[in-house]
Each structure stands twice: as C-alpha cells, then as structure tokens.
Amino acid sequence: MNHLKKGEALGQDIRVLQQQLGRAYLKLRAWAEAEAAFQRELEVDEDNPSSHHGLAVALLHQHRNEEAAEHCLRAIGLAQNMPLAHYHLGLALFRLGQEERAILALENSLRMKKDLLNAHRLLALLYKERDPEKAQAHSALQKTARHPTKAPYVV
C-alpha cells in the first residue's frame, strides 16, 4: 500500500495507481477509501469500466445502492462481458426492490460465468415464490458454484 501511495506522490500513471489503490482498499474492506481512489481514477478516465465496477462495489458496501446500480450500468455499457458487474447490478436492484430487473441482471451474470455462488443464492431467493422449480435448480447449483471469497469484488 505504501508503494502505491509513493508512486502516486511521484506522479506515476495515475490511472493505474488509483485502480490498484482502489482494489487494495476493497481487499482491506476500506470502502470509503476505495470509493475515493476509484473516483480519482474516473476523473482521469471516465470511461474505465473496471473503475466504475470497483466504485460500485465500494458503494454497495456503504449501502448506497442507487449509485452502485448506476456505476454497474455504466461499467456494463462500456464492457458487456463483466459477469461480476452484472451480479452487483442484480444485488443493487434487489436491494432497491426492483426484483424483476434484478433477476435479469443475475441471469445475465450466470450466462457469462455459471459458477457465481452468490448469484445462485440470490436467484434461489427471488424465484422461491415466483417459480419454485427454478428456485430449487439454483439451490442445487450452489453446490457446484465457486465459494464467494475466491471471486474478486463479491459482496
């Protein structure tokens, strides 16, 4: 972490440094610091999908779901093939009470990456009343999915 801050002070490639700093803060669960780092990177490169996604994760952990959804949408608009951004969009929409849209986002995440454990968990919950058969299928798929701690940026 100190090396990243020294590089920042020396004026090295600010985009790369801020993104690395943001990721480091996410791993440390320093949500406000991660948010600030990704915001600084986006001031330099507003069209960086990875930074929009990182910012969304930091915002989700601060329960700022509407802002998180906006940054997920921005990331996905810039780079469609981001399964975790689709998952985080689904999570934000679920928290906002937009369950139908959440299902679409979560299903999209699983089309790209079938082993996202938390996506299966959330879909099992969302389908419980709507479609018990689908809920059962997602519950069963949880057994073959990756553990959430192995995937980066999983809330």
Side-chain angles (χ1 to χ4, degrees):
M1 185 71 77
N2 287 335
H3 295 299
L4 291 172
K5 288 189 174 194
K6 285 179 186 175
E8 182 181 22
L10 293 172
Q12 293 180 355
D13 187 352
I14 191 78
R15 288 178 327 170
V16 173
L17 289 172
Q18 291 304 331
Q19 216 173 57
Q20 290 174 344
L21 196 56
R23 287 185 186 131
Y25 282 130
L26 286 178
K27 287 181 182 181
L28 292 170
R29 299 176 177 267
W31 314 126
E33 291 84 352
E35 175 188 356
F38 287 119
Q39 286 283 16
R40 285 190 300 270
E41 196 285 327
L42 288 168
E43 288 171 10
V44 176
D45 180 7
E46 66 184 36
D47 291 332
N48 186 308
S50 181
S51 292
H52 279 287
H53 180 228
L55 177 56
V57 172
L59 294 167
L60 276 169
H61 280 288
Q62 297 175 74
H63 302 285
R64 292 163 54 195
N65 300 306
E66 193 167 321
E67 292 171 86
E70 289 172 17
H71 283 283
C72 284
L73 286 168
R74 184 78 187 269
I76 293 164
L78 293 165
Q80 279 275 307
N81 192 21
M82 294 183 74
L84 287 175
H86 285 272
Y87 162 73
H88 288 119
L89 174 61
L91 178 59
L93 293 170
F94 170 74
R95 289 178 177 177
L96 291 168
Q98 298 178 30
E99 293 184 356
E100 292 300 323
R101 291 181 65 204
I103 289 171
L104 290 173
L106 293 165
E107 293 286 4
N108 282 335
S109 75
L110 290 172
R111 278 187 200 86
M112 291 177 258
K113 189 159 185 57
K114 295 184 185 325
D115 64 349
L116 292 175
L117 175 63
N118 287 347
H120 286 295
R121 283 182 179 160
L122 195 48
L123 281 168
L125 177 68
L126 286 165
Y127 279 130
K128 189 174 183 177
E129 299 297 321
R130 286 176 179 78
D131 190 335
E133 201 170 294
K134 281 187 180 180
Q136 183 72 26
H138 283 288
S139 291
L141 287 168
Q142 290 180 47
K143 294 179 178 96
T144 60
R146 282 176 51 175
H147 190 274
T149 58
K150 293 182 183 175
Y153 297 161
V154 175
V155 177

